[in-house]
């Protein structure tokens, strides 16, 4: 049985939510889709899907396989797309959504360089930290930072995102420097609206996981948190791509080094792989290796 066809059938079942809808999408019979999935589970010796009369859901093994399958199929499509689009003209308006801080600090150069390579592509950039519905908002492609949950969206990681914990020299002089995450409960914490910071330390044991933080300021933008920390407002956790400049010039000092959350990822996210417009395909290809395994913002901080 063809491995790629089996993987595509599995992806279709997950993305469509049922065997019947997956069969319709692939233009095959539901019986064939069921045969593909059964053969795949037998080969892997793992149950990938939980089946009920009302819905299909992923098991833990299925979630891991789904994410890897997405990347494999995406890489194959990209390779074919690069060859197919090598000499084709690219034009139109590309609508992109990106996190506000990253969009201001690090995205403009990529967009300018992209338009130098593809001058007939117009770009409509929308900056927001809210994870909006791409189809409903008419977004061709979004940049998202974090740990992505499995979904019908296609995601490609283009850069790692390292986190750093910091405060201003003045704040630390007055309030002392915490040596362990548990000591944060004695400090003022600057909180980012779209994350549960207390959970960022969960890898260091249950005592830390249940940490109660003194959150006196909550903001939905990373730059605002960094500026509040510079002015002595408290302790915060943010990506190096936001806080790196202030750390480099001494306005902020890193603390709790060795207790930083695990690195996140910067992803390109889009709604559908099938019949992907050339303007989206070439942007994915152009952006994939733009920042590299060690982005310049991390290299300059180190």
């Amino acid at each position: 049985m063809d491995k790629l066809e089996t993987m595509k059938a599995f992806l279709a079942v997950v993305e469509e939510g049922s065997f019947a809808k997956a069969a319709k999408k692939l233009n095959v019979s539901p019986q064939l889709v069921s045969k593909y999935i059964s053969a795949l589970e037998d080969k892997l010796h793992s149950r990938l899907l939980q089946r009920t009369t009302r819905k299909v859901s992923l098991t833990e093994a299925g979630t891991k396989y789904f994410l890897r399958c997405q990347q494999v199929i995406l890489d194959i499509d990209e390779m074919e797309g690069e060859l197919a689009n090598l000499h084709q003209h690219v034009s139109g308006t590309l609508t992109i959504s990106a996190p506000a801080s990253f969009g201001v600090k690090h995205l403009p150069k990529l967009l300018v360089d992209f338009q130098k390579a593809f001058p007939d592509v117009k770009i409509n950039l929308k900056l927001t930290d809210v994870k909006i519905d791409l189809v409903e908002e008419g977004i061709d492609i979004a940049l998202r930072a974090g740990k992505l949950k499995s979904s019908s969206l296609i995601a490609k990681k283009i850069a790692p995102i390292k986190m750093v914990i910091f405060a201003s020299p003045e704040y630390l002089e007055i309030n002392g420097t915490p040596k362990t995450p548990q000591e944060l409960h004695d400090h003022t914490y600057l909180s980012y609206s779209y994350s549960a910071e207390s959970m960022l330390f969960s890898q260091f044991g249950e005592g830390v996981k249940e940490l109660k933080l003194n959150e006196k300021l909550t903001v939905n933008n990373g730059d605002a948190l960094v500026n509040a920390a510079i002015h002595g407002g408290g302790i915060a956790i943010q990506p190096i791509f936001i806080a790196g400049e202030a750390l480099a010039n001494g306005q902020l000092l890193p603390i709790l080094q060795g207790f930083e959350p695990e690195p996140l990822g910067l992803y390109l996210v889009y709604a559908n792989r099938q019949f992907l417009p050339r303007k989206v395909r070439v942007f994915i290809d152009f952006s994939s290796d733009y920042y590299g395994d060690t982005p310049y913002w991390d290299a300059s901080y180190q």
Side-chain angles (χ1 to χ4, degrees):
M1 189 169 290
D2 185 271
K3 185 177 293 186
L4 283 178
E5 292 302 317
T6 304
M7 293 171 67
K8 289 179 179 178
F10 172 70
L11 288 176
V13 171
V14 176
E15 291 167 355
E16 298 299 321
S18 76
F19 283 74
K21 290 180 180 179
K24 184 177 180 180
K25 178 179 180 180
L26 298 173
N27 197 27
V28 298
S29 68
Q31 292 79 12
L32 182 57
V33 173
S34 180
K35 183 179 179 181
Y36 277 141
I37 301 303
S38 295
L40 182 60
E41 290 180 325
D42 289 343
K43 181 177 178 61
L44 298 174
H45 304 290
S46 297
R47 173 72 66 180
L48 302 177
L49 298 170
Q50 296 287 5
R51 306 159 175 85
T52 68
T53 56
R54 302 183 64 179
K55 67 176 183 177
V56 176
S57 59
L58 286 166
T59 64
E60 181 179 359
T63 298
K64 293 180 180 179
Y65 190 73
F66 174 75
L67 294 173
R68 295 299 295 270
C69 272
Q70 274 192 324
Q71 191 63 57
V72 169
I73 298 301
L74 177 60
D75 288 342
I76 292 172
D77 285 352
E78 284 184 346
M79 177 182 66
E80 295 175 347
E82 286 178 6
L83 297 176
N85 291 323
L86 190 60
H87 300 294
Q88 292 181 341
H89 180 71
V90 182
S91 62
T93 299
L94 185 65
T95 303
I96 301 172
S97 172
S101 294
F102 187 86
V104 170
K105 291 178 177 294
H106 305 291
L107 190 55
K109 186 177 185 302
L110 185 155
L111 299 182
V112 170
D113 288 345
F114 175 76
Q115 288 188 308
K116 288 177 181 177
F118 302 97
D120 291 329
V121 176
K122 297 179 180 179
I123 293 177
N124 179 16
L125 177 62
K126 299 184 177 182
L127 300 180
T128 176
D129 287 357
V130 178
K131 289 181 173 59
I132 59 178
D133 186 298
L134 303 190
V135 176
E136 186 175 309
E137 298 293 331
I139 303 298
D140 292 308
I141 193 162
L143 280 80
R144 288 184 177 170
K147 290 185 177 180
L148 298 188
K149 298 179 180 179
S150 60
S151 72
S152 60
L153 296 175
I154 311 302
K156 180 175 178 59
K157 185 176 179 180
I158 62 171
I161 295 178
K162 292 184 178 179
M163 307 294 286
V164 62
I165 311 169
F166 53 81
S168 70
E170 292 79 12
Y171 175 88
L172 296 175
E173 184 177 353
I174 294 171
N175 298 279
T177 301
K179 304 301 182 184
T180 67
Q182 289 91 337
E183 294 178 34
L184 286 174
H185 76 272
D186 295 324
H187 290 266
T188 300
Y189 193 81
L190 306 175
S191 175
Y192 180 59
S193 300
Y194 302 114
S195 67
E197 278 89 346
S198 59
M199 299 301 292
L200 294 175
F201 300 106
S202 61
Q203 64 210 39
F204 301 107
E206 290 300 317
V208 177
K209 186 176 180 180
E210 301 301 324
L211 180 67
K212 299 298 182 182
L213 297 171
N214 183 19
E215 301 177 8
K216 290 189 175 181
L217 176 63
T218 300
V219 187
N220 65 354
N221 176 265
D223 280 304
L225 279 182
V226 168
N227 285 328
I230 289 172
H231 291 294
I235 293 172
I237 302 174
Q238 283 293 295
I240 291 173
F241 73 73
I242 297 178
E245 183 178 350
L247 288 161
N249 64 27
Q251 290 178 292
L252 294 172
L253 296 177
I255 61 172
L256 294 173
Q257 292 177 292
F259 290 99
E260 299 91 346
E262 294 179 357
L264 307 176
L266 178 66
Y267 295 87
L268 295 177
V269 178
Y270 51 100
N272 198 324
R273 178 189 305 110
Q274 193 173 20
F275 307 123
L276 199 64
R278 289 200 300 274
K279 62 185 180 181
V280 177
R281 169 60 59 201
V282 296
F283 185 79
I284 293 170
D285 294 340
F286 186 89
S287 305
S288 293
D289 299 317
Y290 189 85
Y291 296 114
D293 294 333
T294 303
Y296 66 86
W297 54 81
D298 285 345
S300 61
Y301 173 68
Q302 295 170 355

